[in-house]
């Protein structure tokens, strides 16, 4: 089977978790996969990510330059006509619309991969109508995401896949420069406002430094250091040099950042919400009790023996999260959707 993935993937600071997941899964899927890439910023690919690209047929395109956008689209279209199925690797409108247009002009079926149900999907009739024209949806194996998609698209084929983590890439260090660490872009869904409140309360009891990795933070909590967007190598190093992963996110499809934290021998403190059910090794706090959340963080920071004990359990659990399993589930879902045509 020939698979074409669109829209053009951007690298550098535009590279997000959904893109990383796409490369990890489809590099292992065992099919002939064509990947549309933005040739203008292909040189900015992270050296840690670059080896995955060798598993794909790269299709030069453009997503950032208006002058070459149409030329890039036509090049993707040329390969779309040779494909058996087109994959929108994201649920965001630009990804879905681009893939839908390729589908229209190539007359090839398309599938939408949904990591989580966005406000954009909930609020846009047009976006939902385009997703409804797909041959099917693949979502992450999160009951909350699946159930909402079934309500929004009752007549659509919706199958599940999963995520994974390369556990062997992560480690821990005796040197600690971060008491707490948070990985995620600023936003309501990531629980940013709760992070401010939690860290304020943590610092009422002990002097603790929080490290933040992500984009869009114009302000940061008290006693924090903001690293912004970092390379994979830098992220792994910061995780290794941290004591506790603080993650008050409200809604996730899978939470790859949590899987990476667990792989780094970190205790994870998060809310006891639907999305966190898969991570039974995480310390979960009833939402939105910021006082109890802060207390759990303080307890871990004060007790090194407890931290290390939970960290060992974290690492052991992370070993069960396999990209090979994710690729197998994805391939099976694609074939089931295509066979329904």
């Amino acid at each position: 089977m020939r698979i074409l993935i669109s829209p053009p993937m951007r690298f550098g600071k535009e590279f997000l978790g959904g893109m990383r997941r796409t490369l990890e899964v489809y590099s292992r899927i065992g099919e002939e996969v064509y990947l549309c890439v933005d040739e203008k910023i292909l040189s900015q690919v992270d050296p840690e990510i670059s080896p995955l690209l060798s598993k794909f047929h790269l299709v030069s395109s453009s997503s950032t330059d208006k002058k070459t956008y149409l030329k890039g689209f036509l090049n993707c279209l040329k390969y779309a006509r040779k494909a058996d199925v087109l994959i929108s690797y994201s649920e965001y409108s630009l990804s879905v619309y681009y893939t839908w247009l390729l589908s229209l002009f190539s007359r090839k079926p398309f599938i939408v991969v949904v990591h989580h149900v966005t406000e954009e999907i909930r609020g846009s009739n047009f976006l939902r109508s385009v997703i409804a024209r797909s041959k099917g949806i693949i979502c992450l194996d999160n009951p909350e995401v699946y159930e909402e998609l079934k309500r929004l698209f009752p007549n659509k084929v919706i199958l599940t896949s999963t995520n994974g983590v390369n556990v062997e890439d992560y480690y821990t260090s005796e040197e600690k420069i971060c008491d707490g660490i948070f990985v995620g872009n600023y936003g309501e869904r990531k629980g940013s406002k709760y992070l401010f409140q939690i860290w304020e309360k943590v610092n009422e009891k002990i002097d603790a430094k929080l490290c933040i990795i992500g984009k869009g933070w114009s302000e940061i909590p008290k006693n924090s250091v903001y690293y912004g967007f970092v390379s994979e190598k830098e992220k792994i190093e910061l995780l290794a040099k941290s004591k506790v992963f603080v993650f008050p996110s409200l809604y996730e499809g899978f939470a790859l950042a949590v899987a990476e934290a667990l792989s780094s021998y970190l205790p994870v403190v998060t809310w006891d919400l639907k999305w966190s059910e898969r991570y039974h090794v995480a310390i979960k706090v009833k939402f939105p009790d910021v006082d109890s959340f802060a207390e759990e963080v303080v307890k871990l920071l004060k007790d090194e023996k407890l931290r290390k004990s939970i960290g060992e359990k974290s690492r052991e659990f992370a070993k069960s999260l396999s990209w090979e399993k994710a690729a197998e589930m994805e391939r099976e879902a694609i074939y089931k959707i295509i066979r329904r045509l």
Side-chain angles (χ1 to χ4, degrees), residues 25-184:
V25 170
Y26 284 85
S27 65
R28 294 170 168 84
I29 207 165
E31 302 291 345
E32 191 174 345
V33 185
Y34 292 80
L35 178 70
C36 295
V37 296
D38 189 325
E39 61 182 350
K40 294 282 184 181
I41 49 179
L42 182 58
S43 61
Q44 297 176 27
V45 63
D46 190 314
E48 302 296 317
I49 301 295
S50 188
L52 290 173
L53 294 181
S54 65
K55 309 289 185 179
F56 297 87
H57 301 283
L58 300 184
V59 180
S60 295
S61 189
S62 173
S63 61
T64 54
D65 185 348
K66 292 181 180 178
K67 292 181 180 178
T68 58
Y69 189 89
L70 179 58
K71 180 182 177 183
F73 177 84
L74 292 174
N75 198 40
C76 283
L77 178 60
K78 180 174 76 174
Y79 286 90
R81 287 180 172 137
K82 301 175 184 178
D84 297 300
V85 63
L86 316 181
I87 304 287
S88 170
Y89 66 77
S90 165
E91 68 280 346
Y92 288 101
S93 58
L94 291 178
S95 179
V96 174
Y97 296 158
Y98 195 99
T99 312
W100 169 53
L101 289 172
L102 287 177
S103 174
L104 280 177
F105 290 114
S106 66
R107 296 184 179 180
K108 296 299 173 72
F110 77 104
I111 296 170
V112 179
V113 176
V114 176
H115 303 267
H116 59 272
V117 182
T118 63
E119 289 302 322
E120 193 179 28
I121 292 176
R122 295 183 184 115
S124 171
N125 290 331
F126 184 67
L127 177 57
R128 290 199 304 276
S129 72
V130 173
I131 294 175
R133 296 177 196 182
S134 71
K135 294 304 177 185
I137 297 170
I138 298 174
C139 70
L140 298 182
D141 52 345
N142 178 328
E144 189 175 20
V145 175
Y146 179 81
E147 289 161 13
E148 185 170 5
L149 286 172
K150 288 301 289 184
R151 289 195 300 271
L152 291 171
F153 305 98
N155 301 317
K156 185 58 53 184
V157 179
I158 303 172
L159 299 176
T160 60
S161 185
T162 192
N163 270 5
V165 65
N166 296 318
V167 177
E168 64 279 1
D169 292 344
Y170 298 83
Y171 59 96
T172 188
S173 169
E174 289 300 316
E175 180 190 2
K176 301 297 181 185
I177 62 174
C178 309
D179 293 302
I181 186 168
F182 173 89
V183 179

Side-chain angles (χ1 to χ4, degrees), residues 242-253:
S242 300
K243 295 179 180 178
V244 179
F245 192 72
V246 183
F247 200 64
S249 181
L250 306 182
Y251 179 72
E252 297 286 330

Side-chain angles (χ1 to χ4, degrees), residues 313-333:
K313 293 174 184 176
S314 296
R315 174 76 170 197
E316 198 57 35
F317 175 80
K319 292 177 183 178
S320 68
L321 305 174
S322 161
W323 283 122
E324 283 70 27
K325 178 183 176 183
E328 183 181 336
M329 289 179 70
E330 197 98 355
R331 183 177 184 274
E332 184 177 334

Side-chain angles (χ1 to χ4, degrees), residues 15 20 45-50 169-171 177 181 213 227 229-241 260 264:
F15 192 75
R20 172 66 183 271
V45 63
D46 190 314
E48 302 296 317
I49 301 295
S50 188
D169 292 344
Y170 298 83
Y171 59 96
I177 62 174
I181 186 168
I213 298 173
Y227 287 86
F229 179 86
V230 300
S231 68
E232 284 295 305
K233 184 177 180 180
E234 290 172 301
K235 178 180 68 178
I236 290 170
E237 183 178 357
L238 283 169
L239 286 168
K241 294 181 177 180
E260 292 172 336
S264 306

